[in-house]
Amino acid sequence: MSAAGPVTDDAAMTRALALAADAAAAEEIPVGAVVLDAEGRIIAEGRNNREETADPTGHAEVVALRAAAAAQGSWNLEGCTLVVTMEPCVMCAGAVLQSRIGRVVFGAWDDKAGAAGSRYDLLRDRRLPYRAEVVGGIREAEAAAQLQAFFASRR
C-alpha cells in the first residue's frame, strides 16, 4: 500500500483510527497502525488480528511492521515512522526497536502495559543500542473512546 504523497501525523492517525474501527468490527481490540516511509508516505498498515489468526503476536504494530518490511524489501525500517492508535506494549516496542523505526506516534496512553513512556519507556531507554523518538497523545480522545466503547460493550 502506498499513498500518493506525504501525509501529516494527523492524517496518518485518521487512517489508523479507521483500521482500529475495522478491528473492533471484527471483534478484535480496536488498535490500528500505519507505517510512513522517510518521505511521509503510507507504505503499510495493520490492525489487531489475534483472534482471527490465533496469533499472539497479531498486534496492529507487528502486522504493520511486517507489511512495511515486505514493502521495503528489508527488515531495516530506519527513517520510517509508526503511527498507532494506542501506546505500544513491550512486545511491540521491542519489534519497533528491532526494525530500527526512528519515530513512533501514538494516540491513547496505556497506563497498564504501555512501553513508550507510561508504564515503561523502552523506546527511549538509553541502555539499549537503538532508540526511537516518541510522540504520544495525538488524537488521544478519539483513540481512547474507541477502546473504552469496545471494552464497555464486553462488560
Side-chain angles (χ1 to χ4, degrees), residues 56-73:
T57 69
H59 289 201
E61 300 94 325
V62 172
V63 174
L65 291 172
R66 286 178 179 155
Q72 298 285 80

Side-chain angles (χ1 to χ4, degrees), residues 2-154:
S2 180
V7 298
T8 63
D9 290 347
D10 188 69
M13 186 61 76
T14 296
R15 180 62 187 145
L17 287 164
L19 291 163
D22 291 347
E27 302 295 316
E28 299 279 354
I29 295 173
V31 179
V34 298
V35 176
L36 309 176
D37 68 10
E39 287 76 43
R41 296 175 302 222
I42 295 175
I43 59 167
E45 57 186 38
R47 65 168 179 79
N48 276 4
N49 66 10
R50 281 190 322 177
E51 300 301 326
E52 293 170 274
T53 61
D55 178 357
T57 69
H59 289 201
E61 300 94 325
V62 172
V63 174
L65 291 172
R66 286 178 179 155
Q72 298 285 80
S74 173
W75 63 267
N76 189 331
L77 301 176
E78 191 170 353
C80 292
T81 297
L82 173 70
V83 178
V84 61
T85 59
M86 183 178 187
E87 179 181 5
C89 69
V90 171
M91 176 186 71
C92 292
V96 165
L97 295 175
Q98 290 299 315
S99 70
R100 303 296 192 258
I101 286 276
R103 187 166 175 264
V104 176
V105 175
F106 68 87
W109 294 87
D110 181 0
D111 294 335
K112 292 180 182 172
S118 62
R119 173 65 62 185
Y120 307 101
D121 200 356
L122 193 60
L123 293 177
R124 296 178 287 197
D125 190 324
R126 294 205 179 277
R127 296 169 295 184
L128 298 172
Y130 193 82
R131 288 172 292 288
E133 176 187 350
V134 175
V135 179
I138 303 297
R139 312 262 301 265
E140 180 178 4
E142 292 169 73
Q146 281 184 324
L147 291 160
Q148 290 164 353
F150 178 83
F151 287 111
S153 72
R154 276 144 184 78

